[in-house]
Amino acid sequence: MTITDEDCLAETLAFNKEFEAAAASRPARDGTLDAAVLAALRRNRLGGDTPPARLPQGQDRVTADGVKVRVFVPDHVDGVYLHLHGGGWAFGSADGQDERLWRLAEQARLAVVSVDYRLAPEHPFPAGPDDCEAAARWLVDHAAAEFGIRRLLIGGESAGAHLSVVTLLRLRDRHGITGAFRAANLLFGPYDLSMTPSQRSFGSRRLLSNTDTLRRTYELFTPGMGAEQRRDPEVSPLFADLAGLPPARIVVGTEDPLRDDSLFLAARWQAAGAPVQLGVVAGAMHGFTLFPLTATEREQQRELDFLSTTGR
């Protein structure tokens, strides 16, 4: 484990403090996530208060299986990145990060395919994972024809990181597909929906995520399931056999309730035989890459380096 960005810890912690203070005036996201709050979360950029900007470089498409995707294709393509957005499986969208995804496409020379998977509570588990699996199979079958290359990468943030691991496991277990995706880029994901110790002990701090908001999102995504049912490897990939998965980059902040999820997953991933880069960002809260921090700039550069070079 490498703890990064300790030299800008003061800036990161000061931002956390400001975020908590501002969050005190917002409706709590624990208890019941009512329709108005959910609508606002879906309308606005992840972590923000305004709708996202849609760029003309993004192309909305529908795969042969009816899954909606948003595609960014730079002038030169060295690979294809299947991106799965975050948002607690209940909000977020494929067009919610156009500026970031287009920048990544250009700088890493990747065609980026972001999946607009179905959201809970209208479409609880397994609808979202089903869509991500279908999009991944579409790329396995058609990336060469569509983008002129077979080098596939997968990744996402938060719920998107969870869905990335679930998708890799489904490809292996349901279709016998291993090796098609050559790297996994996993940012601050929840991998144990029965709750790791850091999730349970984090408490009610009004950062982007806490114990109460995590518990509520799990109830929306997997309604009617108890803790034991949520330990099913198809729901919580931390409990899965991780053999045959590609090299991974796993990132989390020290002030994230999902810290243990990344630490535990990295240990199991490496034990299963694949290389792992584990980065723990000093002082960073859940979702820190959404915000203008020095740690965010550095993390984006490390992400760019990983996606540009791995699996070539």
Side-chain angles (χ1 to χ4, degrees), residues 61-69 115-117 130-135:
R61 296 187 55 183
V62 179
T63 71
D65 291 322
V67 178
K68 297 178 182 178
V69 295
V115 183
D116 214 22
Y117 57 87
D130 288 349
D131 291 346
C132 297
E133 175 190 354

Side-chain angles (χ1 to χ4, degrees), residues 1-307:
M1 178 180 73
T2 302
I3 296 182
T4 66
D5 310 300
E6 291 184 284
D7 60 318
C8 55
L9 177 61
E11 175 197 336
T12 306
L13 293 178
F15 178 83
N16 293 355
K17 186 175 181 180
E18 292 174 5
F19 187 94
E20 283 190 84
S25 62
R26 298 181 184 139
R29 283 174 47 203
D30 52 9
T32 300
L33 192 63
D34 64 34
V37 173
L38 185 58
L41 290 170
R42 289 180 175 178
R43 182 175 62 251
N44 296 337
R45 181 179 63 83
L46 290 175
D49 300 311
T50 57
R54 279 176 58 93
L55 298 185
Q57 293 87 347
Q59 179 186 9
D60 294 320
R61 296 187 55 183
V62 179
T63 71
D65 291 322
V67 178
K68 297 178 182 178
V69 295
R70 188 157 172 81
V71 180
F72 300 84
V73 183
D75 290 337
H76 189 94
V77 175
D78 288 337
V80 184
Y81 181 44
L82 183 63
H83 173 258
L84 308 178
H85 68 78
W89 308 278
F91 55 98
S93 63
D95 65 353
Q97 301 178 71
D98 275 15
E99 292 168 324
R100 171 181 171 266
L101 294 182
W102 176 239
R103 183 170 61 249
L104 181 64
E106 284 196 302
Q107 294 179 355
R109 297 168 74 154
L110 297 172
V112 177
V113 178
S114 191
V115 183
D116 214 22
Y117 57 87
R118 287 170 291 172
L119 301 175
E122 299 93 332
H123 304 285
F125 178 88
D130 288 349
D131 291 346
C132 297
E133 175 190 354
R137 290 193 65 198
W138 175 72
L139 276 185
V140 170
D141 292 339
H142 300 288
E146 290 279 349
F147 306 108
I149 198 161
R150 295 184 183 277
R151 177 178 170 249
L152 303 180
L153 315 167
I154 190 171
E157 310 80 38
S158 193
H162 164 273
L163 289 167
S164 296
V165 184
V166 168
T167 298
L168 290 171
L169 293 170
R170 284 180 170 216
L171 290 178
R172 182 196 69 187
D173 296 342
R174 299 183 178 192
H175 310 289
I177 298 172
T178 59
F181 285 86
R182 302 183 189 180
N185 182 49
L186 308 173
L187 276 62
F188 37 80
Y191 308 115
D192 176 3
L193 277 60
S194 70
M195 305 191 82
T196 53
S198 63
Q199 292 190 47
R200 293 194 299 269
S201 65
F202 190 83
S204 58
R205 290 183 64 191
R206 296 293 295 277
L207 295 177
L208 193 65
S209 190
N210 59 37
T211 298
D212 295 328
T213 60
L214 287 170
R215 184 174 290 116
R216 179 56 181 156
T217 57
Y218 299 160
E219 290 170 355
L220 289 175
F221 180 52
T222 57
M225 288 190 188
E228 190 60 38
Q229 291 170 295
R230 292 190 178 114
R231 292 188 186 100
D232 186 316
E234 292 202 357
V235 177
S236 293
L238 185 61
F239 297 98
D241 173 5
L242 302 178
L245 299 189
R249 181 170 177 274
I250 299 174
V251 176
V252 73
T254 60
E255 298 300 306
D256 191 329
L258 297 171
R259 183 187 64 246
D260 284 353
D261 294 61
S262 286
L263 300 184
F264 297 167
L265 184 72
R268 294 210 58 240
W269 201 289
Q270 192 163 32
V276 175
Q277 296 179 21
L278 173 62
V280 182
V281 180
M285 68 172 173
H286 186 71
F288 72 95
T289 55
L290 294 166
F291 304 106
L293 297 164
T294 301
T296 297
E297 294 176 7
R298 294 176 178 178
E299 165 54 30
Q300 289 174 340
Q301 184 60 50
R302 292 187 289 259
E303 176 182 69
L304 176 64
D305 293 343
F306 177 78
L307 293 174

